[in-house]
Amino acid sequence: MWEFMDKAIRKKNPPSSFSNDNESFLYGGDFGDKPYDAMAALGGVFNPDRQPYPSADEMKKAYQEISIIPTLDLGKKDMDFIGFRSYYIKNKHFFRPVNFLLFSWELSENGLPIEQGTLTLPAILPRNQSQIEIPFKMHNPNPTSEYYLLIKLTLKESTRWAPAGHLVAFQQIAISNESLLQEYTTKSG
């Protein structure tokens, strides 16, 4: 990240029949300043009004202090469906355990939620990890559907920097149709 926020000054524009914009942001040489070395740019992840650009979400994901890692080797062809329920939660904080977070999950089929729930996280100390099991069940998986598991970690309580429910970390995992069908066929057959 080069700059956190765009640095610009708001200017009111005169009424115009060509544009509905009554304000704009000025920066760099927009003030007629001379000499001007053309080194100014709006390259932050927040605009001058402190509204996030889409890149702010990408930065938040890259910097999140919790990792959610499937315990199975996704390259194996003989893995069973149960592997999609097991994950390592890695706490990358240096001084804080994860007990301030609420763990929730949602299983979706073709973008529509079909199961969801919450879990109590184990006491994962700073710079440690723990394995968890997500208790979703698959009923009659459709071989032509796409299944995704969305895991979210949100604040349990309000803090000085964010309200309760604020998203701290997340992971979305594609669930293999072949594995789903193999598990369902094995159990029902």
Side-chain angles (χ1 to χ4, degrees):
M1 176 176 70
W2 183 249
E3 291 185 353
F4 178 74
M5 184 188 70
D6 292 341
K7 295 171 189 81
I9 298 173
R10 182 190 323 270
K11 177 190 173 199
K12 295 229 182 252
N13 297 327
S16 168
S17 59
F18 299 109
S19 173
N20 292 336
D21 293 335
N22 57 1
E23 295 180 340
S24 61
F25 289 107
L26 303 178
Y27 67 99
D30 291 340
F31 303 98
D33 37 337
K34 301 211 190 272
Y36 171 62
D37 64 6
M39 293 301 289
L42 298 178
V45 292
F46 283 79
N47 75 18
D49 276 347
R50 312 309 194 258
Q51 297 299 313
Y53 292 121
S55 57
D57 289 333
E58 184 177 351
M59 182 188 75
K60 181 178 180 178
K61 174 68 176 151
Y63 289 174
Q64 71 186 20
E65 294 288 341
I66 307 288
S67 291
I68 303 156
I69 308 157
T71 58
L72 56 90
D73 177 3
L74 295 175
K76 284 186 178 177
K77 292 187 177 172
D78 60 345
M79 66 186 170
D80 63 359
F81 174 60
I82 194 69
F84 286 108
R85 295 185 184 118
S86 180
Y87 295 87
Y88 289 115
I89 306 298
K90 183 177 181 180
N91 182 1
K92 296 190 277 185
H93 287 100
F94 280 94
F95 304 105
R96 190 173 198 184
V98 297
N99 58 351
F100 70 102
L101 298 172
L102 176 67
F103 183 101
S104 63
W105 59 270
E106 177 182 277
L107 182 66
S108 64
E109 177 182 10
N110 295 329
L112 300 174
I114 57 173
E115 290 185 55
Q116 58 190 8
T118 60
L119 291 175
T120 301
L121 285 173
I124 307 171
L125 297 175
R127 312 304 285 174
N128 283 285
Q129 68 182 21
S130 184
Q131 188 172 347
I132 58 142
E133 297 285 326
I134 300 176
F136 66 84
K137 297 174 178 31
M138 184 57 66
H139 302 287
N140 300 320
N142 183 340
T144 62
S145 293
E146 289 185 329
Y147 295 92
Y148 285 90
L149 180 65
L150 177 62
I151 299 170
K152 293 184 193 178
L153 292 129
T154 55
L155 290 176
K156 284 183 186 177
E157 299 173 359
S158 292
T159 65
R160 288 182 288 182
W161 55 272
H166 176 79
L167 183 65
V168 174
F170 74 94
Q171 185 70 37
Q172 185 178 41
I173 298 104
I175 306 291
S176 163
N177 287 353
E178 290 177 22
S179 296
L180 288 173
L181 291 172
Q182 181 181 16
E183 172 77 5
Y184 179 73
T185 306
T186 304
K187 286 188 173 183
S188 62

